[in-house]
Amino acid sequence: MNRGNRQIDILISRYDPERDDQPRTERYTVPYAHDSSVLDALLYIKDHLDGSLSFRWSCRMAICGSCGKMINGVPSLSCKTFLRDYAPGPLYIEALHHFPVIKDLVVDQAGFFDKLPESRPWLIRDQERALADGPHRQSPRQRARFASTSACINCLLCYAACPQYGMKPDFAGPALLALVERYNADSRDQGKAERMPMINAEDGVWSCTLVGNCSAVCPKDVDPAAAINRNKLESAKDYFLRFLKIGSGGAE
Amino acid sequence: MKAHYQRPMGRWYLRPFYLFVYTLRELTAVFVLLYALVLLAGLAALAAGPEAWAGYRQALTHPLSIGLHVLILVAALYNSITWFMVAPKAMPAVFIGTRPLPGLLITLAHIVVFAIISVVTVVLAGAG
Amino acid sequence: MAKQYKPRSHEPVVWLLFAAGGMAAAMLMPALVLITGIAAPLGLLAEDSLNYERVIGMLGSPVGKLVAFPFISLLFWHAMHRIFHGLHDLGIHAGLGYYRVLCYGFALLATLLTAGILFLI
C-alpha cells in the first residue's frame, strides 16, 4: 500500500462476543493515497493500530466476494471502494447488515449457504449426455441469456441491501433467486420444473417487494431484482397454467 | 462464548438508502386509494342524479379538496416515474442478438406512451 | 441442512391485479387527477366538460363502463396490495392473515360497489 500523505478518520463497529452485549464504535486515523481502498485501510489498522480487528478478505480485486462491508450504510466491496471518495471523512464501517455478527466485521453467512442446495445450481438433464457425444454446444445468443446472472460472486451485498431478507431470513433472497434464473435460462439445462417450487413459494420470489437495492449495490451487475421479478411473471403463469399441463412445479 | 449479535431492523424504511427509492414509492398507494374513493363517490353521485352530481362537483371546488388533489397529483407522478423505472425489471428479458435491450430504453418508451396518453386526455377533456 | 420451499404461494392472484392496477395508475392517473381534481373545479377547462349530460353520456355507454370499471377497481387492488405489504414493512408481523383478509376484502368490496353503481348508471 502506498501510504500517501493524506489522513482520514475511520469509525469501525466492533463486536467481541466474549465481552460485548452489542457493538461499540472505535475511531482510527489512517494515512492514504489516491489509490487506497477501504480494504487497504482495514489492513493498515490490523497491521499497525489494532491487531484484534477481525474481517474477511482475500483477492483484493473484486472477484472472491469475501470483503463486503457496510460503508456509510451502503453494502460495498471494501476492495472496490476508495478512501478518496469519502474525503474528508470520517467514514463508518460495519459488518454486512441482516446477518448475525460473529466478531467485528465478520458475519455468519449460513442464511445464504444453507439454502444453496435447494436452488439446484447445476445443469439438470432429462438424459445425461454421454461423454463420447462430446460437449454441449451453445450459441453466443444462448450464452448471452445468462451472461449477467452467471457473474455472481456470492459476496452477499444484495442480502445486506434487502430489507425483506432482514425481516424474514427464511426468504431465499436476491443472489439465490438470480442463481435459479441463471440455470433456468441456460439452454443446456432442463431442470426448470424442479426449481419452480422454490420460485413459487412464499419464501421464493413472493417475499420480494422490488425495493431494487439488491441490483443497485451489486458489484457485478447481476441485477437480481430483474431475475426475481421476471420470475414473478413465470410463477404467475405457472400458477394459472398448471391446470392445463402435466408436470408443473410446486406442491399444493 | 456468547451468541452472535443480530442487529435489529429498527425503522429501516426511514434510512435514506431506502426512503427515496422505496418508502415514498410505497406511500403513494395511500393517495391512489384516496383518489379511487373520490372516483367511486363521483360514480355514486352520478347514479343518484343531476343534483347529487352538482353537489359532488361543488365539494370538489373546496380549497381542501384542491389541496388534496395537488398532493394526489404529486404522488401519482412519483408513482408513474418509479413504475416506469422498474418496468424493465418486471417484464421478460428482451435481447437483440447477444445484447440485452437497455433498461433505460424500456423506461423511456413507457414515458413517451405516458406523455402521449396524458396530453391526449387533457386536450380531449379541455375541449369539452 | 437445505431449506425446503413449500407450499406454493397464492400471491400471483393479487399480484396480477396489483400489476395491472399499477400500469393503469402510472399511465392515466396524473392526467385524470389534473382534470377532475384541479382543472375542472378551478374552471380552467375551456368549456364545462364535466357537466352531467356529458359525463353520463360517457359513463353510461357500454364502452365507458368497460373502461371505468377495470380502471377504478384496479386502483383499489393496486393500493390495497401495497398497503398490505406496507404493514409488513412497518414491522407488523403478527396477525398478517387477518390484515390480508381486511385489505383484499376491502378491494373486493370496492370492486363490487364499482360494478353495482356502474350497472345503475
Side-chain angles (χ1 to χ4, degrees):
Chain A
M1 174 179 175
N2 174 7
R3 300 242 173 92
N5 48 15
R6 284 172 281 179
Q7 289 199 326
I8 192 165
D9 276 8
I10 297 182
L11 303 170
I12 299 183
S13 172
R14 302 286 308 268
Y15 174 71
D16 181 347
E18 293 187 352
R19 47 172 275 214
D20 299 328
D21 284 326
Q22 51 184 344
R24 66 204 139 82
T25 302
E26 284 192 20
R27 179 184 284 263
Y28 305 91
T29 304
V30 299
Y32 75 101
H34 184 73
D35 59 353
S36 302
S37 66
V38 172
L39 178 59
D40 288 332
L42 291 173
L43 289 167
Y44 180 88
I45 293 167
K46 189 163 178 74
D47 289 347
H48 299 278
L49 304 177
D50 187 343
S52 71
L53 179 66
S54 299
F55 55 95
R56 284 201 183 97
W57 65 285
S58 179
C59 77
R60 292 189 264 206
M61 46 198 257
I63 197 62
C64 74
S66 51
C67 73
K69 318 271 181 276
M70 301 300 290
I71 302 178
N72 282 2
V74 178
S76 318
L77 289 184
S78 51
C79 66
K80 201 173 175 265
T81 308
F82 292 89
L83 294 170
R84 60 172 187 259
D85 295 328
Y86 296 86
L91 71 160
Y92 182 50
I93 305 177
E94 300 161 89
L96 284 183
H97 280 180
H98 307 156
F99 291 101
V101 180
I102 297 173
K103 183 174 185 294
D104 296 338
L105 304 176
V106 179
V107 295
D108 180 359
Q109 302 161 316
F112 170 75
F113 286 107
D114 281 357
K115 299 185 187 110
L116 197 48
E118 187 79 358
S119 68
R120 291 162 171 76
W122 54 82
L123 293 181
I124 297 172
R125 302 282 302 175
D126 295 336
Q127 194 109 55
E128 281 300 336
R129 192 179 170 92
L131 272 179
D133 295 336
H136 293 281
R137 286 180 170 273
Q138 194 165 51
S139 72
R141 281 181 186 216
Q142 289 169 326
R143 176 65 180 78
R145 285 274 161 181
F146 59 93
S148 71
T149 44
S150 62
C152 178
I153 56 174
N154 299 347
C155 65
L156 308 188
L157 297 191
C158 50
Y159 285 75
C162 176
Q164 302 303 340
Y165 177 74
M167 286 184 290
K168 199 166 174 244
D170 281 341
F171 175 34
L176 204 57
L177 290 164
L179 193 60
V180 167
E181 172 61 15
R182 178 251 171 274
Y183 282 93
N184 282 348
D186 192 323
S187 60
R188 298 165 297 180
D189 182 83
Q190 298 165 328
K192 189 175 171 185
E194 275 187 45
R195 298 189 192 96
M196 280 317 282
M198 179 180 178
I199 291 175
N200 290 335
E202 194 73 46
D203 290 335
V205 296
W206 298 111
S207 283
C208 166
T209 55
L210 223 182
V211 178
N213 279 1
C214 52
S215 295
V217 303
C218 179
K220 293 290 167 184
D221 295 327
V222 169
D223 202 352
I228 295 172
N229 284 277
R230 281 168 189 153
N231 276 300
K232 284 182 185 169
L233 199 60
E234 286 297 309
S235 180
K237 273 198 263 176
D238 191 73
Y239 186 89
F240 289 104
L241 298 181
R242 72 192 137 133
F243 304 112
L244 304 176
K245 63 183 182 191
I246 303 158
S248 128
E252 295 311 309
Chain B
M1 188 185 278
K2 274 191 222 148
H4 302 164
Y5 174 72
Q6 183 69 53
R7 187 185 313 276
M9 287 301 284
R11 293 189 183 161
W12 60 268
Y13 41 85
L14 293 182
R15 285 177 48 204
F17 185 52
Y18 298 112
L19 184 63
F20 299 103
V21 292
Y22 182 67
T23 309
L24 287 180
R25 181 190 87 192
E26 298 300 292
L27 210 57
T28 61
V30 175
F31 294 93
V32 173
L33 177 65
L34 285 174
Y35 188 60
L37 288 170
V38 169
L39 289 181
L40 190 58
L43 278 189
L46 202 61
E51 293 81 27
W53 179 249
Y56 172 74
R57 293 194 63 191
Q58 186 58 39
L60 285 182
T61 61
H62 194 282
L64 277 179
S65 168
I66 305 279
L68 176 67
H69 279 86
V70 170
L71 282 179
I72 292 176
L73 179 61
V74 171
L77 282 170
Y78 198 77
N79 183 38
S80 297
I81 293 163
T82 51
W83 188 266
F84 301 143
M85 275 169 23
V86 297
K89 300 195 190 300
M91 57 186 273
V94 182
F95 280 83
I96 301 167
T98 58
R99 292 185 179 197
L101 190 64
L104 189 62
L105 266 183
I106 298 169
T107 298
L108 284 175
H110 278 81
I111 291 174
V112 168
V113 173
F114 164 73
I116 293 171
I117 290 178
S118 300
V119 169
V120 168
T121 312
V122 171
V123 166
L124 281 182
Chain C
M1 194 167 117
K3 176 178 160 54
Q4 297 293 309
Y5 287 88
K6 284 171 188 172
R8 179 194 284 280
S9 167
H10 295 291
E11 193 78 0
V13 180
V14 286
W15 178 78
L16 283 174
L17 292 166
F18 155 78
M23 192 54 96
M27 285 293 178
L28 286 166
M29 228 183 98
L32 279 180
V33 173
L34 184 64
I35 293 163
T36 69
I38 299 170
L42 289 177
L44 296 178
L45 299 182
E47 289 170 54
D48 192 15
S49 52
L50 291 188
N51 70 53
Y52 183 75
E53 288 71 27
R54 186 165 189 246
V55 177
I56 206 111
M58 285 194 306
L59 293 179
S61 73
V63 175
K65 287 179 184 181
L66 275 178
V67 173
F69 171 65
F71 179 73
I72 296 174
S73 54
L74 285 173
L75 287 188
F76 281 105
W77 288 100
H78 175 78
M80 295 319 295
H81 181 76
R82 274 199 169 154
I83 288 168
F84 172 67
H85 283 276
L87 293 176
H88 178 255
D89 289 347
L90 289 173
I92 301 166
H93 305 308
L96 270 185
Y98 172 75
Y99 289 115
R100 192 192 300 267
V101 172
L102 208 66
C103 287
Y104 295 119
F106 181 77
L108 182 65
L109 183 72
T111 301
L112 295 175
L113 265 177
T114 307
I117 296 171
L118 276 170
F119 185 72
L120 291 176
I121 292 175

